[in-house]
Structure formats: structure tokens, C-alpha cells
């Protein structure tokens, strides 16, 4: 069963906030963490193995990494990862199972990316499953991958928290690395409105030009989330939400339960 879905930022700013906007995001993450319980986590991250046109399911025994003051090692739930991989593969979806080093044991270990380690920093340690979308995969395929994940979790006896690691438009600031676009505000306001209204199906309607110009780091993960929501027997609503733009990119904390 899915115990919660947490849309979480992965900017370093929220770990040790130096300004009010980052502090508000840090506070929201801590509040969200205090409200949730799970036996394991699925993390949908854009910053692990990136395969051009296939979605990745990490099948290693461990994930380990260091980001600033965060140093973590997690045991991966390989049983759940294989179940998601095999179900998706059997459904004809473009998915790849990824291992590294040894097939199993202590040398079966992949780098824990910052898209995972920063959201996980706020939560109690549990086993994890790492999933990565592919940006060249069609929207409907990403959505269907989410449906498959949701179907697997419907029959799962343990409580699973789904973490959607997502930073939004990256073109808010002309001095930022991706320059400025008026579409940054368009994209982020659309995402905020979708979560406030809980009309998640509207994610499918966002124009390609808006996505291209805003340069978000969230859209593909959110489409997988949409499929998970659609396949669930339960209705999830937004219990907590905070959106800020501390630097050149937008960040949002949203807890669905």
C-alpha cells in the first residue's frame, strides 16, 4: 500500500538554509517528515542512471553516497525493485534493470545521487527502491509506468512512501546557468495550480514550448506520479504545500496522503 506521496525538492539550499525562502522549504520538509510513516521508500529521481530513451530501475543491493554534510548508505529493496521491473517489462514498457559491480552482496552498490539523498535526509532510514525517468520517452509511457508501479503497490503488504524528487523551472534568473525565460513563471504557476486544485490530469496538457523554455527538472517524474495516483484504490489529497524560488530554480514541497 502507498502510505504517502511526497513531492520534494533536491536543492542543497534546503539542507542548511541561509535565507527565508530556503528556511520555509526546510521547515515544510521537516513537517512532512513528522507526518509520514512507511516501511520502505520508492524514490523517483532524475539524477541517478540516466538512459536516453529507457526508464531505469536500480537493482543493486545498496546505494551509497555523500553530498555536502550528508553521507548515507541504504539497503535497497531488490524484491520490490524486481517486481516493478518485471511488471513494466512484461507490459511492453521501455525499462531497463540496472546493476553495478557484483550481482549481489556488498559490491552490488550504486552511487546515491543528490536527487535521492537530499529528500531522504529528512526521513527515517528505510529500505529504498530507486527509479529514474527518461525524457525522450513519450508522456503517456511515463504515465503508464506510474500505473504499473501503482498496481504493484496495491498488492504490497508493507507501507510504501513514494518520493517524487523534483525541482521545477530553472530559468527564473537571468544570472543563473540557464538564463531567463518568462516561461519559468508560467510552468511553475501551472504546477502550483495543479496541486492546489488537485487536478493532476492537467499535467498532461502542459505545452511543449513551456517545458522547453522553463527547463524544469520535475515534469517527467510528475507524469509517473500521475499514473501512480490513477492506479490507486485510494484518493490522495494535498495535506501540506510550500513553494519558493530561493535562487534560479523553483522548489516545492507537497505531501499527498
Amino acid at each position: 500500500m502507498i502510505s504517502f506521496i511526497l513531492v520534494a525538492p533536491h536543492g542543497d539550499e534546503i539542507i542548511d538554509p541561509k535565507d527565508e525562502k530556503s528556511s520555509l522549504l526546510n521547515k515544510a520538509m521537516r513537517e512532512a517528515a513528522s507526518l509520514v510513516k512507511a516501511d520502505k521508500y520508492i524514490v523517483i529521481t532524475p539524477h541517478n542512471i540516466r538512459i536516453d530513451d529507457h526508464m531505469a530501475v536500480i537493482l543493486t543491493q545498496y546505494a551509497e553516497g555523500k553530498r555536502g554534510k550528508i553521507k548515507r548508505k541504504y539497503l535497497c529493496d531488490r524484491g520490490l525493485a524486481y517486481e516493478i521491473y518485471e511488471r513494466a517489462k512484461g507490459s511492453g514498457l521501455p525499462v531497463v534493470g540496472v546493476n553495478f559491480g557484483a550481482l549481489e552482496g556488498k559490491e552490488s552498490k550504486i552511487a546515491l545521487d543528490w536527487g535521492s539523498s537530499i529528500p531522504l535526509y529528512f526521513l527515517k532510514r528505510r529500505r529504498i527502491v530507486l527509479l529514474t525517468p527518461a525524457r525522450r520517452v513519450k508522456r503517456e509511457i511515463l504515465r503508464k509506468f506510474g500505473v504499473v508501479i501503482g498496481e504493484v503497490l496495491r498488492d504490497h503488504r508493507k507501507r510504501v512512501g513514494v518520493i517524487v524528487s523534483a525541482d521545477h523551472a530553472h530559468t527564473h534568473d537571468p544570472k543563473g546557468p540557464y538564463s531567463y525565460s518568462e516561461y519559468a513563471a508560467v510552468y511553475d504557476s501551472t504546477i502550483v495550480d495543479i496541486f492546489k486544485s488537485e487536478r493532476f490530469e492537467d499535467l498532461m496538457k502542459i505545452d511543449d514550448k513551456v517545458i522547453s523554455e522553463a527547463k524544469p527538472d520535475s515534469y517527467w517524474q510528475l507524469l509517473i506520479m500521475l499514473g501512480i495516483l490513477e492506479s490507486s484504490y485510494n484518493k490522495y489529497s494535498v495535506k501540506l504545500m510550500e513553494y519558493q524560488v530561493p535562487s534560479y530554480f523553483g522548489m516545492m514541497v507537497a505531501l499527498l496522503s
Side-chain angles (χ1 to χ4, degrees), residues 17 20 26 40 54 66 69 76 99 115 119 123 130 138 142 151 162 171 197 201 216 225 236 243 248 253:
E20 184 179 357
N26 175 282
K40 58 189 71 175
H54 281 66
K66 186 177 186 298
K69 70 176 185 179
C76 298
N99 209 325
L123 301 169
L130 299 177
K138 291 181 179 180
L142 290 161
E151 288 173 349
V162 176
T171 52
S197 65
E201 66 275 11
M225 181 201 74
Y236 295 85
Y243 168 80
Y248 62 91
V253 177

Side-chain angles (χ1 to χ4, degrees), residues 19-205:
D19 59 82
E20 184 179 357
K21 293 178 178 180
S22 299
S23 294
L24 288 170
L25 292 161
N26 175 282
K27 180 182 177 182
M29 282 296 293
R30 293 186 182 281
E31 183 177 353
S34 72
L35 295 173
V36 300
K37 293 181 180 179
D39 300 303
K40 58 189 71 175
Y41 307 121
I42 288 177
V43 185
I44 307 170
T45 170
H47 293 304
N48 208 283
I49 293 291
R50 300 181 69 150
I51 300 171
D52 194 40
D53 54 4
H54 281 66
M55 299 166 291
V57 180
I58 306 302
L59 302 175
T60 55
Q61 191 102 44
Y62 297 96
E64 182 177 11
K66 186 177 186 298
R67 179 78 173 184
K69 70 176 185 179
I70 304 173
K71 185 177 181 180
R72 292 286 190 275
K73 183 176 182 179
Y74 288 89
L75 181 63
C76 298
D77 191 315
R78 301 182 77 208
L80 180 55
Y82 268 102
E83 191 173 355
I84 291 169
Y85 168 65
E86 290 169 357
R87 186 85 66 95
K89 191 81 170 175
S91 298
L93 298 180
V95 62
V96 173
V98 178
N99 209 325
F100 184 82
L103 182 62
E104 59 185 18
K106 65 179 183 179
E107 299 301 333
S108 173
K109 180 174 61 179
I110 201 162
L112 185 69
D113 63 287
W114 68 95
S116 304
S117 63
I118 291 176
L120 287 169
Y121 170 78
F122 293 90
L123 301 169
K124 292 181 179 179
R125 293 201 198 191
R126 300 288 187 265
R127 292 191 181 197
I128 63 172
V129 173
L130 299 177
L131 309 174
T132 305
R135 296 191 177 190
R136 289 186 62 187
V137 170
K138 291 181 179 180
R139 300 181 186 204
E140 188 56 42
I141 298 299
L142 290 161
R143 184 182 189 174
K144 287 180 179 177
F145 185 45
V147 169
V148 167
I149 295 167
E151 288 173 349
V152 169
L153 297 183
R154 281 197 317 228
D155 301 326
H156 203 70
R157 295 184 179 181
K158 299 288 187 178
R159 299 171 300 178
V160 181
V162 176
I163 302 166
V164 182
S165 180
D167 287 335
H168 304 286
H170 278 54
T171 52
H172 283 280
D173 186 349
K175 296 180 181 179
Y178 302 100
S179 191
Y180 171 79
S181 172
E182 61 185 7
Y183 288 101
V186 174
Y187 177 85
D188 282 13
S189 63
T190 300
I191 296 299
V192 168
D193 288 346
I194 285 171
F195 275 80
K196 284 183 175 178
S197 65
E198 299 184 356
R199 293 180 57 85
F200 300 108
E201 66 275 11
D202 287 350
L203 286 164
M204 296 291 288
K205 301 175 184 178

